[in-house]
Amino acid sequence: MFELFKNLGGWLTSGTQWSGSDGIAHRLAEHLQYSLLATLVATVIGLPIGLLIGHTGRGAFVAINLASFGRALPTVGLVVLVFLAGGLSMLPVYVALVALAVPSIVTNTYAGMTAVDPDVKDAARGQGMRGHQVLFQVELPLALPLIMTGLRLALIQVVATATIAAYVSFGGLGRYVFDGLAQRDLVQVLGGAALVAAVAIVLDLALSGVQRLLFRHRPAQTV
């Protein structure tokens, strides 16, 4: 076991392992690209849905159950299905990652909106605010902590799952996991897994810091 971790340390710190098109730096950039783009697309899709159903109270049952269904989808199975329908491209990977991220964003946004005190919304309307003003000037600011939590959860899930890009012969840190399994190279497999875990932890800590900075004067909210 000691020898295994010694070899893993040598693999992670080797200068040659960090350079070139198959180096850690390049694979890390690919992994971040897949993860951040998929999370951005999921936010563009999920955030308006969560805001709409939270503000109007309409369609909540359907939207939340669809989000729960999305969580239950087998990611690799979805990749293969889209791959068979659309051919060899990054599209299946992005579709699967977006489908994974949308539920957390929708449910947390909806939860944040419904957690806003109805009396606060009534007071805003009593002051003459219209529907969109109540949404963007009252409800959204108060719901932001929970919305940010949903974005954090979505991003970490996507980072952990973006290894599937290597399953259909693309890049990212999953390349080390799949190539290592094919070559029976345990050090490479562990190295890839350790890098994915490190990226997820660093991003979570970074977003957590941003969230604390933005809402340091507010009480914490959790789902």
Side-chain angles (χ1 to χ4, degrees), residues 18-223:
W18 282 84
S19 60
S21 59
D22 195 39
I24 293 175
H26 183 71
R27 295 303 185 196
L28 175 61
E30 290 177 328
H31 203 91
L32 288 173
Q33 176 188 330
Y34 303 156
S35 302
L36 295 176
L37 182 56
T39 305
L40 177 61
V41 173
T43 301
V44 171
I45 295 172
L47 185 59
I49 295 174
L51 290 175
L52 180 64
I53 63 177
H55 178 67
T56 64
R58 299 173 182 172
F61 178 81
V62 175
I64 298 303
N65 279 278
L66 283 176
S68 300
F69 174 73
R71 284 176 172 169
L73 284 175
T75 307
V76 174
L78 184 58
V79 169
V80 173
L81 180 62
V82 180
F83 169 74
L84 293 174
L88 181 60
S89 70
M90 274 297 298
L91 178 62
V93 176
Y94 282 123
V95 168
L97 294 178
V98 169
L100 177 69
V102 165
S104 293
I105 296 172
V106 171
T107 53
N108 275 67
T109 301
Y110 172 70
M113 294 290 287
T114 56
V116 177
D117 190 337
D119 291 338
V120 174
K121 293 185 283 187
D122 289 340
R125 294 189 184 98
Q127 292 178 355
M129 284 189 176
R130 297 185 177 182
H132 69 280
Q133 292 175 314
V134 174
L135 171 60
F136 291 108
Q137 296 180 31
V138 178
E139 292 176 294
L140 181 56
L142 293 174
L144 269 178
L146 276 177
I147 293 174
M148 284 291 295
T149 299
L151 293 177
R152 281 176 55 197
L153 292 172
L155 179 58
I156 301 313
Q157 287 175 320
V158 168
V159 168
T161 312
T163 52
I164 61 171
Y167 184 78
V168 285
S169 301
F170 288 95
L173 296 173
R175 187 80 272 155
Y176 299 124
V177 176
F178 284 93
D179 288 351
L181 288 172
Q183 299 164 13
R184 297 186 179 181
D185 185 347
L186 183 57
V187 171
Q188 186 175 182
V189 173
L190 290 176
L195 288 168
V196 172
V199 170
I201 291 171
V202 169
L203 287 177
D204 187 44
L205 290 175
L207 289 179
S208 178
V210 171
Q211 187 173 356
R212 284 196 300 270
L213 182 64
L214 291 175
F215 309 116
R216 59 186 182 275
H217 300 306
R218 298 185 186 182
Q221 296 187 57
T222 56
V223 182

